[in-house]
Amino acid sequence: MMRKIKQVALLSILLLGGCASYTTPGGSVAIGRLAESDINALMSVQAAATFPAHIAVARIQAPGYASYRLSSFGTGRYSVVTTREVETEADFTQLAKMPQVAGIAPLNRILLPEQLDSIKSLREAAARLKADILLIYTFDTSFHAGEQQFAPLNVISLGLLKNKEVSVTTTVSAALFDVRTEYLYGLAESTAKESRNASVWSTSDAVDDLRRVTEKQAFAQLIPEVEKTWAGVIAEYVNSSMKATN
């Protein structure tokens, strides 16, 4: 009898192991759709930031965003991820060293409203920090196994991925807005991809580790792109004005 019980228990363990699954993280946000949509209003807004500028930073994702290790804050057309999962302190230190930057600060839950429907919500939070520029970014991460692509919040049965190459691709997009007027100063974007044999996807932890590696790499590559965009901002709104006054 004990032998049968052990056999049943062993079979249950094997079946559970074969049914291991991973839920892909939530989606990104089309940043442009959150900004002012009226054409006349868009054409009339002007740059109003003062330099050296204080920059407020926020990561935004699709409503109800969740990944294997964290969740987001807020309801409405988007949500905010207030935990730095793949971004490092060195990344933001590098941004803080850009010319004409007085400081960089994240937007946290204390400053954010529960309802998030437009960039204005983030601008108001940034204004409470006395920030001049709002830097927002969003991750778009996709998973592939062979020819199959998994959309956000898809459940991947890990036991069905044998003998397939699996890959994770992340594109991170960023935008710089004027806190006072919502004027768009510029955009930046970067993409990273990592591939592994399916044998490494035996556990959800292993799958998520690959996601984090890809997102961390994409964000690290975004920093120099933001620096390039910022250099253009300085050239147009700081250097040119200095020349005009001389």
Side-chain angles (χ1 to χ4, degrees):
M1 183 67 178
M2 282 296 295
R3 187 176 181 181
K4 282 190 175 182
I5 293 175
K6 289 181 179 179
Q7 288 176 337
V8 171
L10 179 59
L11 180 60
S12 298
I13 293 172
L14 291 173
L15 288 173
L16 287 173
C19 294
S21 63
Y22 174 82
T23 302
T24 59
S28 61
V29 178
I31 295 175
R33 295 181 182 178
L34 302 178
E36 172 63 60
S37 59
D38 182 81
I39 299 299
N40 291 326
L42 285 173
M43 296 298 291
S44 64
V45 295
Q46 299 293 324
T50 58
F51 295 89
H54 289 84
I55 302 177
V57 184
R59 173 186 172 184
I60 63 174
Q61 297 292 154
Y65 174 89
S67 69
Y68 185 66
R69 289 179 168 87
L70 56 76
S71 58
S72 59
F73 171 81
T75 58
R77 296 175 63 195
Y78 64 96
S79 61
V80 177
V81 177
T82 56
T83 301
R84 291 181 181 176
E85 184 184 27
V86 297
E87 309 93 320
T88 67
E89 193 61 37
D91 293 328
F92 292 99
T93 298
Q94 186 174 340
L95 290 177
K97 291 179 179 178
M98 294 189 301
Q100 294 294 325
V101 172
I104 289 185
L107 295 182
N108 58 38
R109 296 190 181 201
I110 296 175
L111 299 170
L112 294 168
E114 179 71 30
Q115 187 69 23
L116 300 167
D117 289 317
S118 70
I119 290 177
K120 185 178 180 181
S121 300
L122 298 177
R123 288 170 50 219
E124 290 174 346
R128 293 187 178 94
L129 288 176
K130 305 299 182 184
D132 304 288
I133 304 288
L134 173 65
L135 169 62
I136 57 178
Y137 61 95
T138 185
F139 288 94
D140 182 11
T141 300
S142 61
F143 295 73
H144 290 79
E147 299 298 320
Q148 186 175 4
Q149 179 176 351
F150 297 93
L153 301 179
N154 274 186
V155 177
I156 304 174
S157 297
L158 303 183
L160 302 179
L161 298 179
K162 293 180 179 179
N163 302 319
K164 291 183 179 180
E165 181 183 72
V166 294
S167 63
V168 179
T169 303
T170 294
T171 296
V172 56
S173 305
L176 290 160
F177 286 97
D178 194 300
V179 170
R180 294 173 178 83
T181 66
E182 205 170 298
Y183 179 84
L184 176 62
Y185 286 100
L187 305 170
E189 189 173 273
S190 69
T191 299
K193 180 179 180 179
E194 290 288 334
S195 299
R196 299 284 190 278
N197 186 278
S199 60
V200 304
W201 280 29
S202 57
T203 66
S204 297
D205 284 334
V207 179
D208 204 59
D209 285 344
L210 185 57
R211 173 191 67 83
R212 294 175 69 195
V213 166
T214 308
E215 291 185 352
K216 184 175 182 178
Q217 182 181 342
F219 190 77
Q221 293 174 180
L222 177 71
I223 303 303
E225 297 302 318
V226 173
E227 290 176 323
K228 292 176 185 177
T229 300
W230 185 254
V233 173
I234 298 305
E236 182 170 357
Y237 299 99
V238 180
N239 296 343
S240 60
S241 62
M242 292 176 63
K243 291 178 181 179
T245 56
N246 291 335

